[in-house]
């Protein structure tokens, strides 16, 4: 934690950058880090908490090793995104916003990724998968499971 | 500039919002999130207006006037929009009562139905009709809501002391968040989560007291709904009268409004028009006051020791008994202790009695800054009253030294914060790191007792020939220059424990132009090196043309010191009185404050005049019940020298009487002259004749709100004070293996006479217990101590007990205890301190077994 903080100036505007780096490093924002950032940047803990709960990029609970995002925007929605979501939920045995008990996968929905032309879209660990179907997503997840 | 609002031509100032201007001109615009003391926010959108020539609707709370603006605040379209908005706001607020057809018929019964904790309508709401949401609903004449209502079903937060938070009633106006952040600088509350889940909260919904909230109550006072409500007032009925008075606990002099029903205090609010506090207060005045006045420890009847037991007697018997006894002692055998929390009138009569009737010269007051008065006299400077609280916000540079200012002098802290938000640079110099220091530009965490080294070093860095003219006497300047030239940079830095660049930056800040203030608290003067600290700071202030402000705690310390002027009796501080008593010369003691006794020593007869029972009274031979400041009238002089009239709010409890009345009775009984007072105004008339500082005081004028100050010296006047020769104090005694910690102490500012707020009141104990011994996190880990554990602090000669408080305030190697003159012997850090001659001590910590 200290190593991360040392890289930044003790100014208010660095908060989001620090949070991003903590999220990247730990996969989530541990509560202890909120206190540490609060002391370093001299911002109250509640303010930091307010900011980190506002942005979806930050999570307070650990995410899985592989993070799956399924677009539920209007375009993806009418092209069958809900069906795909259901399939993934069944496959992993978790609801959107949850993480599998073995911490391998976490699932999340977003309301638009901005690439409606190639919908329905799923993003796994930053890789975009376009025009997916239930079949396709099944094999992709299986692929990921196999790697482990 | 000229603008037009609703066809009315108005001359407007350009730094005021349209909403403010409209309100000043009696034009009503509904609004919920706006608050006159807070920055514009534009959250509720109810204050929208139309501007001719511009498209759309504008929130009047966040736009400023422009030449020739033509504004319409009311139109059918605006009405419809506002109603729509209000409907949406009310969607998540229990609204059945707000739009109920039987509303008028229900008013009578509202306050009797309120016996539930879950609020689902106005009839059950603890805010009891003082609700801005109700006002707005009435003003917009909203009769129905088209949408289905949505109850958030959020759990009511009841784990904090003093107030509850019910976010089912919250309309997310953000006032509490803003007041906490902008005015108090605490930022404990914040908006959390987002979208429809947005609520006001804290980190993971932790309790406020765990996050350092000091319960000033500012958020409760600005809440427009019943979301934040005072616990103790929840099930009370509405008050039958309201009285205004001055809070007499600390030296700020906040003006309060007290709500009363059937002679009982329901609640105390800070008044928005209070000249000092402007709608702010702190936990003492806002919440604790009510508990103090009717605390079970109040003494209701005079007591006399008969057969080793204190027994209730009549006033006549008590006065006879005491007068008889006191007559038998010579003046030099009697000591008197005067509380600095009694009114000027009480203090005058008490000193008159001590001087003219008892003929003693041993009169002491209890002050956190005993060296201050001595220094002021010696160097012939008016340290005590040379500032106005309001002026602090205009400062460009503020040095805040050794003070827990946000707790001990909250109003001063609010002004400092105003200055900081106006761009002032705040330098905090302290060996402790208080939570407020995060607002500082630079925070110098120095080693204890090295303040004078630091100031000498800064002086050396800044010294230039041109500063010579700042000094009244060239000889002194040469002497000063020579003294500074001897200071070695590296040695001084080592002693202080800071880096060179920090010192240089501090000097740089101090070299800037503009109004500069040095503000210091009791920690600066309470130790044996207080005089060196004062001298070095004083010299630096001459050199840099900064103003020096000493902070005092006690509500009327200045008044007590001023009223002692006509009497030849020597003013002594607590340590001196303690010494005189320890020497065994004193046979009788008469105190209207706490008594510095842990054993009776040679004293044969002790009279205590106090409002509260405490352990120390158990050695008293007679106890006289005094009224609190809410049960009598009189005047206080606050920290800036403002004379303030406080009023009688309720009748004296039991047989208790005002201090002046009790002393006058004793005076008369002992055949003293001039004790025939009938009311405090007669005493004030006498004070006016005797003491020139009070010559402008008039109860009537004070009542009308005319400002009267004790000292009319204007700030910024050229000072003619002398430079004082400086000697640096020896550095602290080294710690050793057996005694590895250094004990520092903090003056406890939460006392009212013999009553210790943060020991007796449950809520205050939770936020700042007087028996806490604060230890650094790492030290606690090493010693395997946990929060709240009972420990013993031992120096070579003495010991005392307390409870562990793991905190970030103290650096590693330092332990902080609270200093209280009337604590039980077992828990008294003060005892150890007096014994050591007010030096810090090497100590060790043991678990209590």
């Amino acid at each position: 934690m200290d190593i991360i903080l040392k890289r930044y100036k003790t100014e208010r505007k660095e908060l989001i950058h620090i949070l991003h780096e903590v999220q990247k490093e730990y996969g989530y924002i541990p509560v202890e880090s909120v206190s540490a950032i609060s002391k370093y940047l001299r911002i109250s803990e509640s303010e930091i908490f307010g900011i980190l709960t506002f942005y979806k990029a930050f999570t307070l609970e650990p995410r899985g090793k592989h993070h799956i995002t399924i677009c539920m925007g209007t375009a993806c929605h009418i092209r069958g995104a809900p069906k795909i979501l259901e399939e993934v939920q069944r496959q992993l045995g978790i609801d959107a916003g949850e993480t599998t008990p073995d911490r391998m996968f976490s699932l999340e929905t977003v309301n638009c990724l901005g690439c409606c032309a190639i919908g329905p879209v799923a993003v796994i660990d930053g890789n975009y998968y376009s025009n997916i179907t239930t079949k396709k997503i099944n094999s992709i997840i299986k692929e990921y499971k196999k790697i482990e | 500039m000229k603008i037009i609002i609703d066809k009315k031509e108005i001359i407007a100032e350009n730094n005021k919002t349209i909403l403010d201007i409209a309100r000043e001109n009696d034009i009503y615009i509904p609004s919920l999130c706006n608050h006159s003391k807070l920055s514009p926010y534009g959250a509720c959108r109810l204050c929208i207006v139309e501007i001719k020539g511009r498209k759309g609707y504008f929130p009047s709370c966040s736009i400023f006037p422009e030449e020739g603006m033509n504004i319409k605040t009311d139109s059918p379209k605006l009405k419809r929009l506002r109603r729509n908005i209000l409907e949406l706001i009310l969607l998540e607020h229990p609204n059945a009562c707000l739009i109920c057809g039987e509303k008028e018929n229900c008013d009578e019964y509202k306050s009797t139905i309120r016996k539930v904790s879950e609020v689902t309508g106005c009839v059950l709401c603890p805010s009891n009709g003082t609700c801005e949401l109700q006002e707005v609903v009435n003003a917009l004449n909203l009769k129905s809501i088209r949408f289905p209502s949505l109850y958030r079903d959020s759990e009511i937060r009841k784990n904090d002391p003093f107030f509850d938070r019910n976010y089912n009633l919250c309309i997310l106006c953000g006032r509490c968040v803003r007041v906490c952040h902008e005015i108090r600088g605490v930022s404990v509350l914040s908006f959390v989560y987002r979208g429809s889940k947005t609520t006001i909260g804290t980190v993971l919904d932790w309790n406020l007291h765990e996050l350092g909230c000091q319960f000033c109550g500012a958020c409760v006072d600005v809440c427009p709904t019943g979301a934040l409500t005072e616990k103790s007032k929840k099930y009370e009925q509405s008050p039958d009268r309201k009285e205004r008075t001055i809070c007499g606990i600390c030296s700020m002099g906040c003006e309060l409004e007290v709500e009363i029903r059937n002679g009982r205090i329901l609640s105390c609010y800070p008044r928005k028009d209070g000249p000092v506090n402007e709608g702010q207060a702190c936990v003492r005045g806002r919440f604790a006051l009510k508990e103090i006045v009717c605390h079970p420890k109040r003494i209701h009847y005079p007591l006399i020791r008969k057969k080793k037991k204190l027994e209730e007697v009549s006033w006549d018997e008590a006065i006879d008994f005491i007068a008889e006894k006191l007559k038998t002692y010579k003046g030099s055998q009697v000591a008197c202790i005067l509380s600095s929390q009694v009114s000027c009138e009480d203090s005058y009569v008490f000193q008159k009695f001590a001087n003219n009737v008892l003929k003693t010269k041993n009169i002491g007051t209890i002050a956190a800054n005993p060296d201050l008065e001595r220094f002021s006299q010696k160097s012939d400077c008016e340290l005590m009253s040379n500032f106005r609280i309001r002026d602090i916000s205009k400062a460009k540079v503020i040095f805040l030294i050794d003070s827990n200012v946000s707790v001990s002098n909250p109003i001063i802290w609010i002004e400092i914060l105003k200055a900081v938000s106006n761009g002032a640079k705040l330098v905090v110099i302290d060996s402790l790191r208080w939570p407020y220091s995060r607002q500082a530009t630079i925070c110098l965490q120095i080693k204890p007792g090295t303040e004078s080294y630091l100031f000498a070093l800064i002086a050396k860095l800044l010294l230039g020939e041109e500063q010579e003219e700042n000094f009244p006497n060239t000889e002194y300047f040469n002497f000063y220059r020579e003294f500074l030239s001897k200071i070695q940079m590296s040695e001084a830095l080592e002693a202080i424990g800071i880096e060179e660049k920090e010192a240089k930056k501090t000097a740089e800040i101090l070299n800037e132009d503009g109004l500069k203030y040095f503000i210091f608290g009791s920690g600066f003067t309470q130790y044996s090196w207080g005089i060196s600290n004062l001298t070095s700071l004083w010299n630096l202030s001459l050199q840099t043309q900064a103003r020096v402000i000493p902070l005092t705690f006690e509500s009327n310390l200045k008044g007590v010191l001023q009223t002692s002027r006509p009497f030849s009796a020597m003013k002594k501080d607590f340590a001196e009185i303690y010494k005189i008593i320890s020497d065994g010369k004193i046979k009788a003691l008469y105190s209207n404050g706490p008594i510095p006794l842990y054993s009776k020593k040679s004293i044969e007869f002790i009279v205590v005049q106090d409002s509260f029972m405490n352990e120390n009274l158990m050695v008293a031979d007679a106890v006289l019940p005094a009224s609190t400041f809410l049960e009598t009238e009189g005047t206080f002089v606050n920290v800036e020298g403002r004379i303030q009239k406080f009023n009688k709010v309720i009748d004296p409890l039991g047989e208790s009487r005002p201090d002046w009345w009790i002393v006058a009775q004793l005076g008369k009984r002992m055949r003293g002259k001039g004790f025939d007072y009938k009311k405090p105004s007669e005493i004030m008339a006498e004070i006016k004749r005797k003491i020139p500082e009070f010559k402008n005081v008039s109860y009537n004028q004070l009542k009308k709100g005319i400002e009267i100050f004790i000292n009319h010296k204007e700030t910024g006047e050229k000072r003619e004070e002398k430079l004082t020769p400086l000697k640096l104090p020896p550095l602290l005694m080294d710690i050793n293996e057996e005694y590895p910690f250094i004990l520092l102490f903090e003056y406890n500012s939460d006392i009212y006479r013999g009553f210790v707020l943060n020991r007796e009141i449950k809520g205050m104990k939770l936020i700042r217990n007087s028996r806490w011994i604060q230890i650094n996190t790492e030290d606690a880990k090493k010693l395997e101590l946990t929060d709240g554990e009972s420990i013993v602090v031992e120096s070579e000669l003495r010991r005392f007990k307390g409870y562990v408080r793991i905190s970030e305030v103290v650096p590693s190697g330092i332990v902080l205890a609270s200093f209280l003159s009337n604590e039980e012997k077992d828990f008294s850090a003060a005892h150890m301190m007096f014994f050591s001659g007010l030096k810090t001590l090497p100590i060790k910590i043991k678990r209590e077994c």
Side-chain angles (χ1 to χ4, degrees), chain B residues 642-683:
Chain B
R642 181 192 291 269
I643 300 171
Q644 293 172 300
K645 166 94 177 22
F646 63 92
N647 303 319
K648 183 174 166 177
V649 168
I650 49 169
D651 288 326
L653 252 66
E655 283 292 306
S656 72
R657 292 283 179 271
D659 284 86
W660 61 267
W661 183 89
I662 302 171
V663 181
Q665 294 302 312
L666 268 174
K668 270 192 270 185
R669 204 64 57 97
M670 290 175 78
R671 301 218 182 87
K673 275 186 197 122
F675 285 100
D676 293 316
Y677 305 112
K678 285 192 187 64
K679 48 184 192 258
S681 58
E682 290 174 20
I683 307 169

Side-chain angles (χ1 to χ4, degrees), chain B residues 591-738:
Chain B
S591 164
N592 73 358
I595 46 174
L597 282 184
Y598 303 103
S599 64
K600 277 181 89 172
K601 297 254 169 177
S602 60
I603 303 184
E604 294 160 2
F605 185 62
I606 299 175
V607 183
V608 177
Q609 183 176 314
D610 201 339
S611 311
F612 304 93
M613 273 294 178
N614 58 46
E615 292 77 5
N616 282 339
L617 293 195
M618 294 307 150
V619 296
D621 298 287
V623 180
L624 300 169
S627 308
T628 63
F629 62 91
L630 288 168
E631 297 146 49
T632 174
E633 61 172 355
T635 50
F636 286 137
V637 182
N638 84 343
V639 66
E640 53 174 345
R642 181 192 291 269
I643 300 171
Q644 293 172 300
K645 166 94 177 22
F646 63 92
N647 303 319
K648 183 174 166 177
V649 168
I650 49 169
D651 288 326
L653 252 66
E655 283 292 306
S656 72
R657 292 283 179 271
D659 284 86
W660 61 267
W661 183 89
I662 302 171
V663 181
Q665 294 302 312
L666 268 174
K668 270 192 270 185
R669 204 64 57 97
M670 290 175 78
R671 301 218 182 87
K673 275 186 197 122
F675 285 100
D676 293 316
Y677 305 112
K678 285 192 187 64
K679 48 184 192 258
S681 58
E682 290 174 20
I683 307 169
M684 187 39 88
E686 190 177 324
I687 297 177
K688 268 165 79 172
R689 282 200 303 276
K690 293 251 168 91
I691 310 168
E693 274 77 8
F694 282 88
K695 69 172 188 284
N696 298 323
V697 180
S698 135
Y699 274 17
N700 280 336
Q701 283 191 330
L702 286 172
K703 258 182 205 160
K704 275 185 218 148
I706 291 166
E707 298 189 326
I708 302 176
F709 290 94
I710 215 157
N711 219 321
H712 284 279
K713 236 185 198 178
E714 284 297 315
T715 48
E717 204 174 291
K718 188 148 176 66
R719 295 177 297 174
E720 294 180 6
E721 299 91 352
K722 282 177 286 192
L723 185 70
T724 317
L726 168 70
K727 254 195 286 175
L728 290 179
L731 282 169
L732 290 181
M733 260 197 281
D734 274 333
I735 47 171
N736 50 45
E737 256 173 46
E738 203 189 341

Side-chain angles (χ1 to χ4, degrees), chain A residues 12 31 34-35 38-39 41-51 53-56 60, chain B residues 181 186-194 201-204 206 211 437-438 440-441 443 808:
Chain A
R12 260 187 106 86
V31 181
V34 174
S35 310
S38 157
K39 242 171 265 159
L41 293 184
R42 304 197 290 177
I43 304 175
S44 91
E45 288 162 315
S46 295
E47 267 181 275
I48 297 173
F49 190 77
I51 285 161
T53 52
F54 183 85
Y55 293 105
K56 255 198 158 166
L60 280 160
Chain B
H181 180 76
V186 195
S187 311
V188 161
L189 290 171
S190 176
F191 280 104
V192 293
Y193 300 103
R194 99 168 151 178
T202 57
V203 185
L204 291 176
W206 289 343
L211 282 159
S437 61
R438 71 160 178 256
T441 320
C443 188
E808 299 292 330

Side-chain angles (χ1 to χ4, degrees), chain B residues 44-212:
Chain B
C44 72
R45 303 318 256 196
L46 281 172
C47 64
I48 44 170
V49 291
E50 287 174 27
I51 300 172
K52 202 176 179 185
R54 291 192 201 180
K55 217 176 147 189
Y57 305 91
F58 302 88
S60 59
C61 69
S62 34
I63 48 167
F64 293 90
E66 281 165 36
E67 188 62 54
M69 240 183 199
N70 190 346
I71 297 153
K72 230 169 149 185
T73 67
D74 205 7
S75 72
K77 178 78 187 166
L78 279 174
K79 250 188 200 130
R80 213 174 63 231
L81 277 172
R82 283 184 187 146
R83 273 195 208 146
N84 278 351
I85 294 165
L86 190 59
E87 274 181 75
L88 289 168
I89 290 173
L90 290 179
L91 192 86
E92 290 191 285
H93 183 96
N95 55 32
C97 290
L98 283 167
I99 49 167
C100 179
E102 295 292 327
K103 208 152 78 171
E104 281 85 39
N105 305 335
C106 187
D107 276 348
E108 217 179 303
Y109 307 104
K110 262 183 200 164
S111 58
T112 47
I113 308 176
R114 241 169 344 98
K115 297 273 184 218
V116 292
S117 59
E118 197 85 0
V119 179
T120 50
C122 300
V123 284
L124 308 171
C125 180
S127 75
N128 212 5
T130 45
C131 174
E132 287 178 45
L133 200 53
Q134 283 182 5
E135 282 168 32
V136 172
V137 171
N138 290 342
L140 293 181
N141 202 13
L142 192 73
K143 294 279 187 229
S144 67
I145 292 169
R146 286 167 291 165
F147 316 109
S149 76
L150 194 132
Y151 190 65
R152 290 197 193 112
D153 202 14
S154 153
E155 199 188 321
I156 302 171
R157 274 63 160 187
K158 288 180 179 170
N159 290 338
D160 279 309
F162 304 119
F163 60 84
D164 288 345
R165 293 176 289 145
N166 181 355
Y167 290 123
N168 297 316
L169 306 182
C170 178
I171 55 164
L172 297 171
C173 66
R175 280 189 192 179
C176 53
V177 176
R178 280 178 289 153
V179 81
C180 195
H181 180 76
E182 290 172 15
I183 297 204
R184 312 297 303 214
V186 195
S187 311
V188 161
L189 290 171
S190 176
F191 280 104
V192 293
Y193 300 103
R194 99 168 151 178
S196 56
K197 286 188 195 127
T198 309
T199 176
I200 309 285
T202 57
V203 185
L204 291 176
D205 217 1
W206 289 343
N207 296 325
L208 295 176
H209 65 85
E210 292 168 319
L211 282 159

